[in-house]
Amino acid sequence: MTLFSSHKLSLVALTCIGLLHPNAAASLHPQIPSVASFVNSGAPGFVLSTSTQVAVDSAFQSSGSPSLMSYAQTFRDDLISMTGFTVPEVKSLSMEDSASPSTIFMTLGATNHSYFNGEATEEGYDFTISSQSYIIKGSGANGAWWGTRTLLQQAAMSSVGSGSNGSITIPAGSGSDTPGWEIRGFMIDAARHWFEPSFLADMCIYASFFKLNSLHLHASDNLWDQNLISGPDWRELYSAFRFQPSEGSPIAGIILLPNETWSKENFTVLQSTCSAHGVAIIPEIDTPGHSLAITKWKPELMIPNTPDSLNLSHPDTIPTIKALWDEVLPWFSASEVSIGADEYDPALADAYISFVNEMSTYISSKSGKSIRAWGTNEPSSTASISKNVTIQHWDFPDSSVPVQLMQRGYRVINSEQQFLYLDGKTSDKGQFPVELDQALMWGGAPDGGGWAPNIFTRHDPHNNTDPSNPLLRGSIMAIWNDWGNNATTPLEIYYQLARSLAVFAEKVWAGSGVRETALTQDQFNSVYATLNAAAPGQNLNRAVPPQPNNVVFQYPTVAEPQTSAFDSVGPPYTLTFTIKPSNATEISVPLLDGTSMRVPYDGGVIFAGRDSKLHVQSLAFEDPATGIRYPLPYALPADEYTTVAIHATRSYTYAEIGGSVHWWTTDLDIWGEYMKPANMSFAAPSHFIRAEGFSGELHNVSLVLG
Ligand SMILES: *[C@@H]1O[C@H](CO)[C@@H](O)[C@H](O)[C@H]1NC(C)=O
Ligand SMILES: *[C@@H]1O[C@H](CO)[C@@H](O)[C@H](O)[C@H]1NC(C)=O
Ligand SMILES: *[C@@H]1O[C@H](CO)[C@@H](O)[C@H](O)[C@H]1NC(C)=O
Ligand SMILES: *[C@@H]1O[C@H](CO)[C@@H](O)[C@H](O)[C@H]1NC(C)=O
Ligand SMILES: *[C@@H]1O[C@H](CO)[C@@H](O)[C@H](O)[C@H]1NC(C)=O
Ligand SMILES: *[C@@H]1O[C@H](CO)[C@@H](O)[C@H](O)[C@H]1NC(C)=O
Ligand SMILES: *[C@@H]1O[C@H](CO)[C@@H](O)[C@H](O)[C@H]1NC(C)=O
Ligand SMILES: *[C@@H]1O[C@H](CO)[C@@H](O)[C@H](O)[C@H]1NC(C)=O
Ligand SMILES: *[C@@H]1O[C@H](CO)[C@@H](O)[C@H](O)[C@H]1NC(C)=O
Ligand SMILES: *[C@@H]1O[C@H](CO)[C@@H](O)[C@H](O)[C@H]1NC(C)=O
Ligand SMILES: *[C@@H]1O[C@H](CO)[C@@H](O)[C@H](O)[C@H]1NC(C)=O
């Protein structure tokens, strides 16, 4: 194997030469999130090469869940994919034998690791780097896992400009690192938008590279449209409950679109992929508001004329909600779940509070899990929510002014919308940015310092708290999908999250103004692109290895269906072709028995790939994840040659045809109040060329990066 046989690191090398100082051994490179402390030994560094091996301490290999051994195996896969080196199977060695040459050794036993609130944590690690070995000692298996992310990030940064002599050198020294907060998560609204489990799994893997440890999965909800919901056609409003009940389940009736549900098996695979990467899934079933999926099934449970709100006083309401949890609680491996419980009529506060407390007791007795609820304005002079419930603050003003909640003894998670909310594609009137606002993240605190989980507002220091507040558990940023399935492709959601998760990860790990080693905005900007491109285990960028002249493929004539080596190619790209669709009204389709059948001709599909298809009819792009088509206001003439050049970036896709430009757009239905046109970004459908049911000629096909 030669160095950079992996395309990822070679992309890094090509794009980032000159960014960093050439002497890679000088110090640890900045990385995301920053490492709490590191002292350079000045000795020769650790060389990652084809002779590197990964070993775990035999005394601890089964410790943790996932175990140290399991984490080491996942790490080995990442190391292979990032470097292209052939790394042998993970070995189990005693501490004494760990001093073999070129060994990455994972062990446990690091002490004195605690979050900023003083609580001891298993997520810390110490590490010692010498020319002989790279030793990672976790305070728990999770800590050792985060230590492997540090190694990989240093490898990615060290390979920048390291030449091509077959090795990557990581500077020698020793360090210690601990996250500031226990909860470092991101929420995806997977209720108003359907996502395949494989996409969510890739998001976990990506987030894990930046040491985020939880995915909050908002899994039941509905779109909002005041007229529709209060009128006779309320059933037409999109709603979903994503967990597919088992056959014959008492809750089977809640599923209206079985093709948009996760089976238990699908979910379990997703959950274990996330967990193997140190990321816990916190599922949310949102009631008693946001409950249209339930009232479409049991209309008698709604508050009259308010179909998304459940009547908690109806004798069947709470048993129905409990039945939902009964079905799915056994699926979940995390120690906590979210019952949602936001935006419910404050006039019904006593019923609301009693409900939240009943669910806390019920879920705890059924599963041993504790619950979270969104901060909600539910004032009562007689009742209060149990302190066993963690409150996830998102909005001022409400009864959950977070500092007051903590003063009263509640544990709090910061999801304040002013800092941490995004909406798929765009928000109503620009209320939220497309990506987390970097100016706010680096300078949005009242004193001009950066945001951190202890900062709830930029305006009033009294509403913020200290990083050491024992009741502040951490933070979860959120991307909502208020405009539903047709607002975005899944990859567009990744584009909004990619950089957002990285900056958020720095802030929830290191805080702002706590550690001298925390990143500056300039340092973050100087390393983000390299680390994003190097993140292993997924390819959400849909990057391809460097191609001569940036040409992915080029064919003078495509007379028969054919395939390329790439199932999808991420933007930016230009896809060009000359096409002459036949004017046929019927075409012949081959059948399995060797005969064929005449079917009406709709133009067929010219290109298809993992993330998109391009139809002849209206040159519509299709998103295979949702089946939605996005047509152009344009029709290709039959029986004529037309040359089409498709240009795409992460923000838009347009076609240039005979000097005219046509944009692929969607129409966002903003709360049923107005329609807002928005651009669509599509990855190139690069796998099948002349894909399905096309009749006519196809020439001069090329896909060029950039
Ligand atoms: C543990 O950490 C604290 C705070 O960082 C420090 O003051 C203390 O000296 C450390 N103790 C040991 C035994 O390292
Ligand atoms: C590899 O190249 C780097 C940078 O050019 C150099 O510092 C290092 O000494 C070389 N290593 C070997 C083993 O030749
Ligand atoms: C769900 O799991 C089944 C069985 O493993 C698999 O065939 C199917 O593709 C999965 N569905 C999704 C959406 O991942
Ligand atoms: C809720 O249900 C109860 C019991 O069926 C009923 O008495 C009450 O009127 C309902 N509340 C509303 C607001 O409809
Ligand atoms: C809180 O949880 C503890 C432990 O599960 C339990 O003993 C206690 O009764 C709960 N308190 C309330 C108010 O629910
Ligand atoms: C905190 O936030 C609340 C709600 O916005 C506001 O009313 C109050 O003035 C703020 N300041 C303090 C000190 O609570
Ligand atoms: C299709 O094109 C052929 C050749 O140009 C022509 O003979 C035929 O009439 C056309 N058929 C239709 C339905 O337009
Ligand atoms: C699921 O089926 C419905 C109804 O047939 C359809 O409208 C929807 O597009 C399908 N969803 C997906 C993800 O294919
Ligand atoms: C997208 O879906 C909304 C309903 O949520 C609908 O009103 C709108 O017309 C759709 N947009 C397009 C371009 O189909
Ligand atoms: C699509 O993007 C282009 C280029 O940025 C912009 O000029 C145009 O206004 C956008 N269209 C919509 C509907 O936002
Ligand atoms: C394909 O490109 C070649 C070279 O530019 C050109 O001569 C030829 O006419 C093109 N073919 C079509 C069908 O446009």
Side-chain angles (χ1 to χ4, degrees), residues 396-397 401 404 460 462-463:
F396 283 100
V401 170
Q404 289 166 12
D460 181 350
H462 300 102
N463 271 333

Side-chain angles (χ1 to χ4, degrees), residues 555-580:
Y555 307 107
T557 290
V558 181
E560 294 294 328
Q562 66 179 77
T563 57
S564 90
F566 306 111
D567 59 6
S568 190
V569 175
Y573 64 83
T574 302
L575 174 62
T576 312
F577 54 94
T578 298
I579 189 168
K580 182 179 167 186

Side-chain angles (χ1 to χ4, degrees), residues 2-6 9 48 78-85 168:
T2 55
L3 178 70
F4 303 140
S5 57
S6 141
L9 284 190
L48 271 177
D78 292 341
L79 193 60
I80 292 171
S81 83
M82 276 181 69
T83 61
F85 298 153
I168 300 165

